[in-house]
Amino acid sequence: MSGFIEPLHSADTLRYYEKIKLMPRVHRSSVGVRAYSNKDLSRLRFIKRAQRMGFSLDEIAQLLGFRENPQQAKPKVRALAHQKLAAIEEHLVELSTLRDELRLLTNLCGASPDGCPILDEIDKG
């Protein structure tokens, strides 16, 4: 066994990963502390990085399965990554629009003698 996990994941998260089979059951010491092998730590780093890329836990489970035979899975991995990229690009457009709207509203708010254009705009829904 290599060691103990750094606080990248909470104990509750690690138990959940075991429950949903994202992680195998890990070895426990005689006092019940989880001890992670290098392979376990690599898997946890993979999960964390995939989450930062926006992949869901279900998608991460697929990606972990694809790691077993990456060359054969390559087209499926590429398709999944392409879908994620399209979703991120769409989200970036939405964020850019939101940024522009908030920039305008904060400028209007500073110039408004009465009321609050920000609250008024949020009220409109």
Side-chain angles (χ1 to χ4, degrees), residues 60-113:
I60 292 170
Q62 290 177 50
L63 291 169
L64 285 166
F66 294 152
R67 282 174 92 194
E68 302 301 319
N69 192 347
Q71 192 60 33
Q72 187 175 10
K74 190 174 177 178
K76 293 176 185 175
V77 173
R78 189 171 191 277
L80 186 59
H82 184 69
Q83 290 171 358
K84 189 56 56 187
L85 178 60
I88 289 170
E89 288 175 346
E90 183 179 320
H91 192 98
L92 284 171
V93 169
E94 292 169 3
L95 286 173
S96 179
T97 300
L98 179 59
R99 179 201 59 216
D100 294 345
E101 183 179 5
L102 285 172
R103 184 177 289 146
L104 173 66
L105 289 171
T106 55
N107 289 336
L108 289 173
C109 189
S112 176

Side-chain angles (χ1 to χ4, degrees), residues 15-120:
R15 279 191 291 276
Y16 182 68
Y17 288 172
E18 285 182 22
K19 179 180 176 184
I20 65 170
K21 309 283 189 237
L22 211 53
M23 285 293 295
R25 289 187 67 75
V26 296
H27 174 77
R28 293 178 191 261
S29 70
S30 60
V31 292
V33 176
R34 287 179 173 88
Y36 292 87
S37 68
N38 285 334
K39 186 176 179 181
D40 294 330
L41 295 175
S42 172
R43 190 176 182 99
L44 285 167
R45 282 190 295 273
F46 183 94
I47 291 167
K48 191 66 162 179
R49 179 72 174 133
Q51 285 177 315
R52 283 195 302 265
M53 290 179 156
F55 290 100
S56 69
L57 293 180
D58 286 340
E59 291 166 332
I60 292 170
Q62 290 177 50
L63 291 169
L64 285 166
F66 294 152
R67 282 174 92 194
E68 302 301 319
N69 192 347
Q71 192 60 33
Q72 187 175 10
K74 190 174 177 178
K76 293 176 185 175
V77 173
R78 189 171 191 277
L80 186 59
H82 184 69
Q83 290 171 358
K84 189 56 56 187
L85 178 60
I88 289 170
E89 288 175 346
E90 183 179 320
H91 192 98
L92 284 171
V93 169
E94 292 169 3
L95 286 173
S96 179
T97 300
L98 179 59
R99 179 201 59 216
D100 294 345
E101 183 179 5
L102 285 172
R103 184 177 289 146
L104 173 66
L105 289 171
T106 55
N107 289 336
L108 289 173
C109 189
S112 176
D114 49 63
C116 179
I118 297 170
L119 294 175
D120 294 342

